[in-house]
Amino acid sequence: MPASLVMRTQEPHHSVFVTSRTEGNPYATGCRFTLNEKLYCYGVLQRGGELTVEDATCDPDWVDNDDMEHGMRFYIGYPLKWPDGTVFGTICVLDTRRNRRALLFREGLQEFARVIEADLELLIEIDRRITLESELQATLDQLEHRVASRTADLEEANAALRVLLSSVETSREEYDAKILRQIKGLVIPHLSKLHGRLTRDPAGRAYLELAEDNLKSITSDMSGQLTTVFEALTPTEQEIAQLIMRGQTTKDIARTLSREPSTIEFHRNNIRAKLGLKRSGQNLRSLLLSIQ
């Protein structure tokens, strides 16, 4: 065949997209025609299927077609379509004579048309993926921008929070120092004077010493662990626990609180149970002093 072509249709034009490198081929790539009823390929597109013209000189419909300018009186063509069914163009072969052998290869030409359409489908898929990748990249860029913006906001907020916490810590230290000065200046001196007046009152001295010890604990930043332990005890148990820490026995505590030793022992057992010392054999005073 002197001419084998893949034609590209972009109305109103019909142009040579790929052309064979055969001797006597008058159609160069890019050669363009205006679609009209005198073009073989126009007949293919109108039919939507195969067009075979064995000899245009004997066919009144094609005797004066535009390709007769090059003496192309023999033609076989098939449409080429995009995956969505729209027209891409045509694939065709042309000859200056009636080519009976070419008629035997029409199925092969038609199969080749299907191969080209498969390639067109692949091109669409590649384009779709490129578009999706572009959209994905744009989304990633937006997310990165948002993350960077949020990170900057968080860093700014953290800086402000650090300044605020530093200010709060400074204020707390100043407040603690003020309370400490007031206790030492306004409370401790009076407690010292009470010692001389309670020489004959053991219970009163015990309560006074408890008050002094508690003030010392407050002013020396009593550990949070002991505070947590005392929160689990009743007020009476807290009182007894503090006397135990001072080294007083059950009888001493009973005299101090004007209670029966059995009552004090009952509370001691409750304290041991709450601290997990029941049947452990561990010394209660030692535990309390260890977490002070």
Side-chain angles (χ1 to χ4, degrees):
M1 303 294 295
S4 300
L5 310 173
V6 172
M7 304 294 291
R8 178 77 167 97
T9 302
Q10 293 173 304
E11 293 187 11
H13 298 114
H14 192 63
S15 57
V16 178
F17 192 66
V18 178
T19 184
S20 61
R21 298 177 183 178
T22 47
E23 185 179 352
N25 185 352
Y27 303 101
T29 301
C31 181
R32 189 169 69 175
F33 306 89
T34 300
L35 280 172
N36 67 86
E37 61 185 11
K38 296 299 182 179
L39 284 177
Y40 288 129
C41 289
Y42 182 83
V44 173
L45 298 178
Q46 288 295 101
R47 291 166 176 258
E50 178 189 306
L51 172 65
T52 298
V53 179
E54 295 187 30
D55 188 348
T57 60
C58 301
D59 190 330
D61 291 333
W62 299 105
V63 68
D64 59 347
N65 76 81
D66 293 350
D67 290 292
M68 289 298 289
E69 177 183 348
H70 302 292
M72 296 296 177
R73 61 180 183 169
F74 179 86
Y75 176 91
I76 302 174
Y78 296 94
L80 298 174
K81 295 182 179 180
W82 291 103
D84 63 359
T86 58
V87 172
F88 172 83
T90 59
I91 182 171
C92 58
V93 292
L94 301 97
D95 203 343
T96 56
R97 62 185 177 84
R98 186 178 183 183
N99 193 325
R100 296 185 181 276
R101 288 189 64 192
L103 293 173
L104 301 177
F105 289 95
R106 284 183 295 175
E107 290 185 2
L109 184 62
Q110 190 174 16
E111 183 62 27
F112 192 60
R114 303 292 80 79
V115 171
I116 294 176
E117 289 182 334
D119 288 341
L120 294 176
E121 185 174 359
L122 179 60
L123 289 174
I124 291 294
E125 178 62 21
I126 291 173
D127 186 65
R128 186 185 70 84
R129 293 190 180 188
I130 291 174
T131 300
L132 288 176
E133 288 176 2
S134 177
E135 293 174 352
L136 178 59
Q137 186 60 52
T139 301
L140 289 175
D141 291 342
Q142 291 178 359
L143 288 175
E144 288 178 359
H145 177 72
R146 290 175 61 185
V147 168
S149 178
R150 294 287 178 86
T151 301
D153 290 343
L154 287 174
E155 290 176 352
E156 184 177 347
N158 285 337
L161 183 59
R162 284 192 293 270
V163 172
L164 177 60
L165 290 176
S166 177
S167 176
V168 170
E169 183 65 21
T170 300
S171 298
R172 188 188 68 81
E173 292 175 355
E174 292 174 352
Y175 179 78
D176 289 349
K178 179 180 178 181
I179 294 298
L180 180 60
R181 288 194 301 271
Q182 290 178 340
I183 290 176
K184 289 182 177 180
L186 300 177
V187 179
I188 299 299
H190 297 295
L191 295 180
S192 299
K193 293 178 181 180
L194 283 176
H195 273 288
R197 299 193 178 192
L198 296 175
T199 54
R200 298 180 181 180
D201 185 355
R205 286 181 64 84
Y207 278 114
L208 178 59
E209 289 172 357
L210 282 177
E212 288 179 326
D213 288 344
N214 287 337
L215 285 174
K216 289 179 182 178
S217 296
I218 293 172
T219 56
S220 62
D221 292 327
M222 183 179 178
S223 74
Q225 187 177 1
L226 185 59
T227 302
T228 301
V229 168
F230 270 43
E231 288 177 352
L233 305 179
T234 66
T236 300
E237 290 168 351
Q238 292 178 18
E239 197 171 43
I240 293 173
Q242 292 180 69
L243 292 171
I244 292 172
M245 291 171 67
R246 289 182 56 79
Q248 293 195 16
T249 66
T250 298
K251 291 182 179 180
D252 294 334
I253 297 172
R255 283 195 300 271
T256 299
L257 302 181
S258 301
R259 304 284 183 89
E260 291 294 327
S262 59
T263 301
I264 302 303
E265 194 63 37
F266 171 78
H267 287 299
R268 286 182 70 113
N269 289 334
N270 283 345
I271 295 171
R272 291 181 64 84
K274 290 180 180 180
L275 298 183
L277 297 179
K278 198 170 183 181
R279 298 189 183 91
S280 69
Q282 187 176 354
N283 184 271
L284 177 58
R285 181 169 181 264
S286 298
L287 176 64
L288 291 171
L289 290 175
S290 70
I291 60 178
Q292 186 174 10

